[in-house]
Amino acid sequence: MREMNDKSIETLFNAILTLKNKDECRRFFTDLCTISELKSMSQRMEVALMLKSKCVYTDIAEKTGASTATISRVNRCINYGSDGYNLVIERMEQDNE
């Protein structure tokens, strides 16, 4: 993916990696993103968690308000993407143990 290797994107990823806790993360993303962007990202994360829990699309759409197109895209990423959702979800589950 050429567009994911852009220097400015690398700078953003490096900035994110400097964050040390949830408060720093909240402060940075609040400055970086609009409320709408944050809500969209959090919605996709909620969709991913529900898909990993084997919830059906209708239940996910009802609970999250996500469109079936968004749910399908997240599902495609979980199954055929770069494994980012799976990595994060696995780590979140380990942290909750």
Side-chain angles (χ1 to χ4, degrees):
M1 290 188 125
R2 185 187 181 296
E3 60 273 354
M4 286 302 290
N5 291 323
D6 182 275
K7 184 174 171 44
S8 61
I9 292 175
E10 289 298 313
T11 299
L12 173 62
F13 292 162
N14 287 333
I16 292 167
L17 289 172
T18 68
L19 301 172
K20 297 192 179 354
N21 56 47
K22 197 182 302 185
D23 180 60
E24 288 183 3
C25 196
R26 181 179 291 110
R27 290 167 46 202
F28 178 71
F29 278 94
T30 299
D31 285 348
L32 180 69
C33 302
T34 65
I35 294 295
S36 178
E37 290 166 333
L38 285 171
K39 286 185 176 187
S40 292
M41 287 188 284
S42 65
Q43 181 188 64
R44 288 192 295 272
M45 190 67 219
E46 189 174 5
V47 167
L49 289 166
M50 292 181 75
L51 285 167
K52 292 295 282 183
S53 295
K54 307 295 184 201
C55 293
V56 296
Y57 277 35
T58 52
D59 291 341
I60 296 170
E62 185 178 310
K63 183 171 188 296
T64 66
S67 68
T68 55
T70 296
I71 298 167
S72 293
R73 182 184 185 285
V74 172
N75 192 47
R76 193 168 42 255
C77 289
I78 288 171
N79 292 307
Y80 308 107
S82 300
D83 218 30
Y85 280 117
N86 293 316
L87 174 70
V88 168
I89 291 169
E90 182 179 305
R91 288 186 180 164
M92 289 171 64
E93 288 171 347
Q94 289 172 355
D95 288 346
N96 287 332
E97 291 179 352

